[in-house]
Amino acid sequence: MATSRIIKRHISKGQTVFQALSYSFGYGQNLDKTRNGELISAYMCDPKTAVAEFVLSKAKYKAITGREQKKENDVLCYQIRQSFRVGELDHDTALKVGHDFAMRWTKGNHAFFVVSHIDRPHPHIHIYYNSTALDCTRKFRDFKGSAWAVRRLSDRICYENGLSVIENPKLKSKGQFKHYGQWQGDNKPPTYQEKLKAQIDICLSEKPSDMRAFLQSMKVAGYEVKHGRGGAISFRTEGQARYTRLRTSTLGEGYSPEGIQAVIEGRAALQKNKTKATQTTISTTNKVNLIVDIQAKMRAGKGVGYEKWAKIHNLKAMAASLQFLQEHGLMEYEQLEQKAAEVTERFHILSDKIKSIEADINTNKELKAAIVDYAKTRPIFEGYKAAKYSNIYLAEHEADILTYRAAQATFKSILAGAKLPKMDTLKGEYRKLSADKSAAYKEYRVARKSMQDIVATKSNIDHLLGFTDPQKNKDMER
């Protein structure tokens, strides 16, 4: 559900125009927030020199019109923020949506650049556009109802891209528009960091024997594990673009590798988080746990206390396994073995299906972008042909001509001679693919949970019956 806001940027006390713009643009173009500058797009300006270009345009405006506002009233540039619902689009797509929004809002009359930030769980973009027009003869003046106009255009673009919007954006008591946090309210989903902390607490509450056992529990819970330099450990779960590193500055006290190791060894107490993420994760976690090979652990040096805990743990694990078998009517070993193979195959089929849908979505996006580029640059290319492919004309319009040819190359590679589909058809196809992807992900999560329970149950039964094959078990756990 996209939220939007328009902000005026003035000169702060004691600053020059150059300093004020540098400060504002520096926040937007932060390399850590824009994936080292990859998530920046611009129109009629270079983001690296945008400050100087905006300042120069204001000097030209004064020279051409002879008009000059009071320093405290002059609007240097306008900033628009647009935030989207978690999981509806990625940061690259948010940048494209933001660029389209900026072009349609300014009507191509003002230089602007757009940044997509990755420092929050929800994708969001910032648009900075020059208050002075490109021809330096006029300025954009904020008008009554501009916030409403921004929201209306934002909603329209969201509808076009299959994104949700806020149905009732006003606060009844104050008549103001909601910001992102107010819009989400109690429905605000836990962040990836909160989910990770909650799962760490659950895995540590199961008293793993060592760090390796802890990491294995995290894998079973659906987390990918990445080891970095100097003992760094990072996790990533489904739908998460970047790994979250275990460190105090990110997750809080006790969530570094050293802090977790201290809890495992009994040198520190388990963190007691009462966050919504912890409560949700604990209340919905009802999985079958793997039993512990007590004899192997005792040979490895574990003490009597650990043996006592492991026996209780194994009794609970076997009870949960038997209950699972009874509830699912799998009291024959052959049935269990067949079911484990079926759910594993189902999981991989759904995984392949999601990858295929994502590939189709990317193709759809490429075609839509190519159609827009083709429509915008075709008149330029027709002029190039009329000029008999003049080198002078090419030098003046090289960027547009290259864009036109790139669009044609995209059509050729994707369509392979087939008729170019209409934009409305592609938009409808995109909405259907997005719906199919959401439905497939729901099935995928259910299938993954089912597979994890079946595999853990079968592993426990194999251990009980003496069928344990270490290598086979490792393959099944993966």
Side-chain angles (χ1 to χ4, degrees), residues 29 42-51 53 113:
Q29 297 179 21
Y43 170 73
M44 299 304 290
C45 69
D46 184 338
K48 295 179 180 178
T49 58
V51 173
E53 293 178 47
F113 66 88

Side-chain angles (χ1 to χ4, degrees), residues 216 219-220 287-291 321 324-325 330 333 335-345 347-348 447-463 469-478:
Q216 181 60 39
K219 289 179 182 178
V220 172
K287 63 185 180 68
V288 180
N289 292 311
L290 290 168
I291 63 175
S321 296
F324 181 87
L325 293 174
L330 300 172
Y333 183 81
Q335 293 176 322
L336 176 60
E337 194 169 36
Q338 181 181 351
K339 187 67 174 179
E342 288 175 356
V343 297
T344 302
E345 183 181 4
F347 170 79
H348 289 300
R448 185 182 65 183
K449 178 67 167 60
S450 178
M451 183 183 68
Q452 289 170 348
D453 288 342
I454 289 282
V455 169
T457 300
K458 185 178 181 299
S459 178
N460 290 346
I461 299 301
D462 286 347
H463 186 89
D469 179 346
Q471 185 57 47
K472 185 177 180 181
N473 284 347
K474 288 180 180 178
D475 293 340
M476 291 293 286
E477 286 169 14
R478 278 199 294 270

Side-chain angles (χ1 to χ4, degrees), residues 199-430:
Q199 189 58 53
I200 289 173
D201 291 346
I202 291 171
C203 290
L204 289 177
S205 69
E206 296 170 357
K207 299 185 178 179
S209 57
D210 50 27
M211 181 62 79
R212 183 178 179 182
F214 165 74
L215 295 178
Q216 181 60 39
S217 295
M218 293 295 292
K219 289 179 182 178
V220 172
Y223 277 85
E224 298 177 43
V225 182
K226 184 175 75 171
H227 297 273
R229 295 179 180 177
I233 300 174
S234 302
F235 293 100
R236 181 173 67 180
T237 189
E238 179 188 320
Q240 188 174 357
R242 297 165 65 92
Y243 283 88
T244 300
R245 183 175 172 180
L246 288 183
R247 54 184 172 188
T248 303
S249 59
T250 303
L251 300 174
E253 193 67 33
Y255 290 97
S256 63
E258 297 77 16
I260 291 173
Q261 186 68 48
V263 174
I264 292 172
E265 296 175 356
R267 294 184 286 106
L270 178 65
Q271 297 291 323
K272 294 185 181 292
N273 293 300
K274 296 184 179 180
T275 63
K276 182 179 178 181
T278 304
Q279 295 167 356
T280 302
T281 304
I282 292 175
S283 64
T284 58
T285 299
N286 186 24
K287 63 185 180 68
V288 180
N289 292 311
L290 290 168
I291 63 175
V292 175
D293 187 340
I294 298 176
Q295 296 303 318
K297 296 298 182 183
M298 297 300 289
R299 288 195 296 270
K302 291 296 181 179
V304 177
Y306 177 84
E307 181 182 12
K308 182 179 178 181
W309 170 85
K311 286 179 179 179
I312 296 173
H313 171 85
N314 285 354
L315 285 172
K316 291 180 178 179
M318 286 309 303
S321 296
L322 291 173
Q323 183 182 21
F324 181 87
L325 293 174
Q326 289 173 341
E327 290 175 351
H328 293 81
L330 300 172
M331 298 309 293
E332 297 292 335
Y333 183 81
E334 290 75 11
Q335 293 176 322
L336 176 60
E337 194 169 36
Q338 181 181 351
K339 187 67 174 179
E342 288 175 356
V343 297
T344 302
E345 183 181 4
R346 174 65 176 162
F347 170 79
H348 289 300
I349 288 173
L350 287 171
S351 180
D352 292 339
K353 180 180 179 181
I354 290 171
K355 290 177 183 178
S356 176
I357 293 174
E358 288 176 340
D360 291 341
I361 288 176
N362 290 333
T363 300
N364 180 280
K365 291 177 180 177
E366 288 181 24
L367 267 179
K368 287 193 294 187
I371 289 174
V372 172
D373 290 341
Y374 179 84
K376 289 179 179 179
T377 57
R378 185 177 180 183
I380 303 297
F381 192 81
E382 293 296 331
Y384 182 43
K385 287 170 62 177
K388 297 181 179 181
Y389 304 102
S390 163
N391 289 333
I392 296 176
Y393 190 96
L394 175 62
E396 293 176 352
H397 304 279
E398 185 175 6
D400 289 329
I401 292 171
L402 289 175
T403 301
Y404 176 86
R405 286 175 170 163
Q408 284 190 318
T410 300
F411 296 152
K412 185 176 180 181
S413 63
I414 294 177
L415 300 174
K419 185 178 179 181
L420 183 66
K422 294 182 179 180
M423 181 64 82
D424 288 341
T425 302
L426 287 173
K427 289 177 180 177
E429 180 185 284
Y430 179 86

Side-chain angles (χ1 to χ4, degrees), residues 95-142:
L95 181 65
K96 292 178 182 178
V97 171
H99 190 98
D100 182 29
F101 177 94
M103 182 61 73
R104 289 161 70 169
W105 176 254
T106 63
K107 298 181 174 61
N109 295 323
H110 296 260
F112 66 78
F113 66 88
V114 187
V115 298
S116 178
H117 282 179
I118 61 176
D119 61 329
R120 294 289 185 271
H122 60 280
H124 64 284
I125 57 99
H126 297 260
I127 300 168
Y128 298 84
Y129 68 94
N130 196 348
S131 59
T132 305
L134 289 171
D135 61 7
C136 300
T137 62
R138 61 192 186 282
K139 286 190 174 185
F140 180 92
R141 303 293 182 188
D142 194 22

Side-chain angles (χ1 to χ4, degrees), residues 81-98:
R81 297 176 186 167
Q82 193 178 23
S83 302
F84 306 93
R85 188 171 188 170
V86 176
E88 281 201 336
L89 74 173
D90 55 30
H91 300 292
D92 297 276
T93 305
L95 181 65
K96 292 178 182 178
V97 171

Side-chain angles (χ1 to χ4, degrees), residues 22-57:
S22 296
Y23 178 79
S24 181
F25 292 179
Y27 172 84
Q29 297 179 21
N30 185 302
L31 295 179
D32 292 333
K33 297 181 180 182
T34 58
R35 202 190 297 151
N36 293 322
E38 292 179 6
L39 297 175
I40 302 177
S41 66
Y43 170 73
M44 299 304 290
C45 69
D46 184 338
K48 295 179 180 178
T49 58
V51 173
E53 293 178 47
F54 281 30
V55 171
L56 179 60
S57 71

